[in-house]
Every structure is written in C-alpha cells, then in structure tokens.
Amino acid sequence: MRKREYDEDDVRVRPGKGSRPRTRIRPAHEDAVPGFVIAVDRGRYTCLVEPAGERGRRRRKSQADGTGTGHRTVVAMKARELGRKGIVVGDRVALVGDVSGRPDTLARVVRVEPRTSMLRRSADDTDNTDGIERPVVANADQLVIVTALADPPPRPRMIDRMLVAAFDADIEPMLCLTKSDLAPPDELVALYAPLGVPYVVVQKGGDLDELRERVKDRISVLVGHSGVGKSTLVNALVPDANRAVSHVNAVTGRGRHTSTSAVALELPGGGWIIDTPGVRSFGLAHVSVETVLAGFPDLIEGTVHCPKGCTHLSEECALDAWVADDHADPARLESLRRLLASREGASDDDQARSAADPAPGLG
C-alpha cells in the first residue's frame, strides 16, 4: 500500500480573530485637540474647542482650555479605552476624530486631564447606599451657595452641608442671598459671620454689579435647592442663557426643578457660570467626620479636650462646655451635630422636622 503524501490542503487551520497582535499599549493621541466640557446629555458630551491658531493659550490659570471668543462646539462620545471613568461638566478633555463641529458629526473623548477640584455629593446619608458619590462639576474654583431669604425660607442646615462639601472639594464658598425685597438678610448673615464666608445680597430686578465682580474670570458653580432663583440669576448674568424659571408651590413651599442638568455658560466679562439642577438633599456620606468638623473652624479648638474617638454626639463631648463659655454660637454646634447624626443613618428630613424649632429668627 502506497503511503499517502500530505500537503497544506489536508490541514484545517482555524483562522485567528485578527491580524494584529494583542497589546495593552494604548495610543498616545498626541494630535488630540483640547476641549472643555460644557454639557452632558445621555452619553454625549458637548465641548468647546479653540481654533487651531490659538491652541495652548489660556487667559487665566483657573480658566479651562477651550474658552474665549471664536470657539466652536463639538459633540463627542467617550472612547472605550476610558472604561467606566466618568466625565462631568467642567472637565478638560482631549478629543480625536471629527472635531469640526459640523452637524451630525461625532468626536471621541480619549483622555480626561487631571482635575484641580471635584464637587461631589452622596446619593443619601443612609447606610444602605454605601456612600455612593455623585459628581457634580469638575475644576470649579468657587461654589456660590444660592439661598432665598423668603419664599422658600432659608435652610441653614442645607447651607452647612454645602459649605462642608466646598471644604472637602477645596473650593472657595460664597453665599448669594436672593429675594432681599421679601425679608432682611441680617440674621442669616450674622449666623455665618464667624466662618468669614463672603456673601452678596440681591433681589429681583436689583443691581448685580457686586455679584458680577465676584464671579468675573472664575469658574463658579451655582448650587441651591429648587425655587431660590438660580436660573433667574443666570439669565441676568448671561443674557442669552434662556434658562427656564418657575415659581414656588404655595402649598408645599418648594420650588419645581427647572434645570434638569448642569451646564456651563460663559460670562460676557470673562469667566464661567455652571448652573446646576436644584437639590432637596446634599448627602455627605462620602465625607469623613474629620472633614465635616473642619468645615466648622469655630468649633475645632473646642475638640482638644474631647475623649479619644469622640463622635461629638455624646454627653462626654467637650464642645458643650466650649459653647457654654461663649466661644462659639450654639447654632453652629447644633448644625455640626445634625450633620454627624445624618451620617450615621438619621435622615435629614426626619431631623428637619425639628426645623419647627430652627435657629432663632430662621426658617
């Protein structure tokens, strides 16, 4: 029997999945275009991109790349190589692909540049959320806490929470007290005077020159609960913003959410305003006890004599004696303990029922 001769046609070779060898080395994207994220909507990122001749120039250290006149907007999606890395308004990013900005074109975000700050809030303060963080905006250098003096009444505990969040994010806070034509600001201003937080007082149709000066050439994010007048302020500061506004419900005393997502708007005199949706809670589960306490510098010295591991909620806490000796306002200690208690699972709404007994003169 003659021995059969085999050739390559007799060997069945399974084709490979690709012709290129697999590698973990990602492209450097050295030709990527810098952009500034001004809006996020369902996985699409609207970015400002500067003209090629101006690339690399910045008007101010805190100013994001891609600002100024003559810039175009580019819609982009996140590249797969970024994985689950989140992108928020205020991020500086690198774009590749079609960055012409023409209708029906789509670029890719291939890199998120290091952030100078990140404002976060937790989904809730209760234990069953595991302190899930919700990023609000990136690279802001000023947090403008907007609160109405009436209709709806001010919520000092909410202001306290936002101040703590600003401290945690290393962002300078500022109070913007609206609707001063309905109630005087004196008591609320006096409550926060020990913290040295700057403030401006405005009213509908009033002069906004002081506010304009404080936000000029800065990236400022406006936060506050619904109905306090954030969108009205934005429309006054940026005439072509066209942000929707609403009225406060006469029965519940709460405003309706008119801003549904954060958006960055360029100020005519330089700088950026980031308008955010109104919030009814500002969780701090992601912030440590030490950071919460650091948000109350008028009380820190009083903790020197606290027992080791003091939660500042028990009778052994030395802060009671500190306040009794007139070193700090009792309302500040009450606010601190409300924040610490909420971190341990007590809901802010439950504790807010004691707002029937608010700080003197405040709602």
Side-chain angles (χ1 to χ4, degrees):
M1 184 175 180
R2 186 177 178 181
K3 187 176 180 180
R4 182 180 176 185
E5 294 182 0
Y6 292 91
D7 59 21
E8 62 270 13
D9 293 332
D10 294 293
V11 181
R12 194 170 185 178
V13 179
R14 181 175 297 175
K17 293 183 179 180
S19 59
R20 293 186 300 175
R22 299 179 64 182
T23 176
R24 294 192 178 188
I25 300 176
R26 300 294 185 186
H29 296 298
E30 296 178 354
D31 58 342
V33 175
F36 177 59
V37 180
I38 60 173
V40 178
D41 182 22
R42 293 170 292 183
R44 294 294 183 264
Y45 307 95
T46 303
C47 309
L48 275 190
V49 174
E50 59 188 2
E54 299 181 12
R55 197 163 299 158
R57 296 173 55 188
R58 297 183 182 181
R59 287 185 297 176
R60 196 173 186 271
K61 183 178 180 181
S62 64
Q63 202 82 359
D65 287 330
T67 59
T69 58
H71 296 81
R72 62 187 182 277
T73 57
V74 174
V75 178
M77 62 179 292
K78 184 171 63 174
R80 180 180 297 181
E81 61 200 70
L82 291 182
R84 301 182 65 181
K85 186 178 182 65
I87 302 174
V88 297
V89 171
D91 266 325
R92 303 180 184 96
V93 296
L95 304 168
V96 299
D98 193 334
V99 294
S100 65
R102 292 190 298 266
D104 301 323
T105 60
L106 193 63
R108 283 188 301 135
V109 178
V110 294
R111 185 169 60 249
V112 178
E113 305 298 347
R115 294 160 171 160
T116 58
S117 67
M118 171 59 79
L119 180 66
R120 299 179 175 90
R121 71 182 181 97
S122 298
D124 201 346
D125 285 322
T126 53
D127 292 335
N128 58 3
T129 61
D130 298 323
I132 298 173
E133 295 181 15
R134 290 179 177 173
V136 182
V137 296
N139 299 315
D141 54 23
Q142 182 170 235
L143 179 67
V144 181
I145 303 172
V146 184
T147 185
L149 294 166
D151 190 35
R155 296 169 59 184
R157 280 80 188 182
M158 176 70 82
I159 297 174
D160 289 340
R161 287 171 169 268
M162 294 177 180
L163 287 173
V164 172
F167 184 87
D168 179 63
D170 196 22
I171 301 175
E172 296 179 19
M174 181 183 75
L175 296 178
C176 181
L177 309 179
T178 63
K179 305 184 183 181
S180 62
D181 52 323
L182 302 180
D186 303 348
E187 294 179 5
L188 193 62
V189 169
L191 185 62
Y192 291 96
L195 296 178
V197 180
Y199 68 91
V200 294
V201 180
V202 300
Q203 65 182 49
K204 187 175 181 179
D207 187 7
L208 295 179
D209 287 347
E210 184 179 2
L211 179 59
R212 286 191 178 93
E213 188 61 30
R214 289 185 178 273
V215 298
K216 183 179 179 181
D217 293 329
R218 306 193 71 174
I219 301 179
S220 304
V221 52
L222 272 61
V223 295
H225 54 283
S226 301
V228 297
K230 294 192 310 301
S231 296
T232 301
L233 281 177
V234 171
N235 288 336
L237 294 171
V238 187
D240 57 350
N242 296 322
R243 300 292 279 175
V245 298
S246 68
H247 301 285
V248 175
N249 189 301
V251 176
T252 64
R254 291 182 173 180
R256 182 171 62 89
H257 295 291
T258 52
S259 300
T260 58
S261 61
V263 61
L265 301 163
E266 190 170 14
L267 294 166
W272 289 84
I273 281 287
I274 302 178
D275 187 20
T276 63
V279 294
R280 291 189 177 136
S281 65
F282 209 97
L284 296 174
H286 64 285
V287 181
S288 66
V289 175
E290 291 75 17
T291 302
V292 175
L293 181 61
F296 294 81
D298 50 332
L299 298 175
I300 291 179
E301 189 176 346
T303 64
V304 173
H305 302 292
C306 285
K308 186 177 180 179
C310 182
T311 63
H312 308 301
L313 296 172
S314 62
E315 295 180 356
E316 293 79 15
C317 180
L319 286 175
D320 291 290
W322 177 260
V323 170
D325 291 338
D326 293 328
H327 292 297
D329 191 326
R332 305 302 299 145
L333 179 56
E334 179 189 358
S335 293
L336 170 65
R337 285 178 170 164
R338 288 172 63 87
L339 295 183
L340 295 176
S342 67
R343 292 186 73 262
E344 297 189 353
S347 75
D348 191 55
D349 286 339
D350 290 339
Q351 302 228 354
R353 291 192 178 94
S354 66
D357 264 337
L362 298 174

